[in-house]
Amino acid sequence: DGYASMKVSYAAQGKTGWAGAVWQNPANNWGTFDGGYNLSKAKTLKFWARGLKGGEIVEFTAGGAAANYPDSDSLTTGPIKLYDEWTEYTVHLDKYQMFYIGTGFGFTVKQDKNPYGCEFYLDDVRYE
């Protein structure tokens, strides 16, 4: 489409059996710093994703940090099998407490689900 997107490459190596990334406010905040956003008026979390080949399995998350300033909730899409074409995903937020979220979005890729590694793309992550 001519716009920049994020490419994620997972090699499926190492002893932990998984890898992931999260976007936090402030950076590296696992609930130890004040920095959450009140997202309680948001109805959905939406994002676009696609696998390089299709069949890549990725779990997407938000919230979940816990310490002195914990996120008010934690959500996961569960494992999603991606297609090889752009697909928009929508997470409805009506059952979540989104009044204090410092960990706004993340993903996890597991070795047992992607034993040969995988590549996928993310774009246009947003709360609406």
Side-chain angles (χ1 to χ4, degrees):
D1 63 3
Y3 296 101
S5 62
M6 174 181 239
K7 177 182 178 181
V8 177
S9 297
Y10 172 62
Q13 299 173 345
K15 295 179 181 177
T16 59
W18 67 276
V22 292
W23 283 263
Q24 301 167 313
N25 183 60
N28 302 311
N29 181 14
W30 297 102
T32 51
F33 306 103
D34 190 7
Y37 288 98
N38 183 350
L39 300 173
S40 60
K41 291 185 180 181
K43 304 264 189 257
T44 58
L45 164 61
K46 293 184 177 184
F47 59 95
W48 288 84
R50 71 177 287 263
L52 178 67
K53 298 177 183 176
E56 299 84 352
I57 299 175
V58 183
E59 183 172 353
F60 299 94
T61 63
N68 296 336
Y69 300 94
D71 285 325
S72 54
D73 214 334
S74 177
L75 69 88
T76 177
T77 61
I80 293 177
K81 184 184 269 189
L82 301 179
Y83 300 102
D84 64 352
E85 56 191 45
W86 285 107
T87 304
E88 185 177 38
Y89 296 91
T90 300
V91 178
H92 295 278
L93 301 174
D94 52 330
K95 63 181 178 179
Y96 297 101
Q97 300 294 317
M98 301 298 287
F99 60 87
Y100 189 89
I101 300 293
T103 308
F105 184 75
F107 64 84
T108 303
V109 187
K110 295 184 178 177
Q111 192 170 5
D112 64 340
K113 304 283 188 201
N114 302 279
Y116 304 106
C118 67
E119 289 187 1
F120 67 97
Y121 300 86
L122 284 171
D123 200 6
D124 200 19
V125 178
R126 67 212 183 273
Y127 285 91
E128 294 183 340

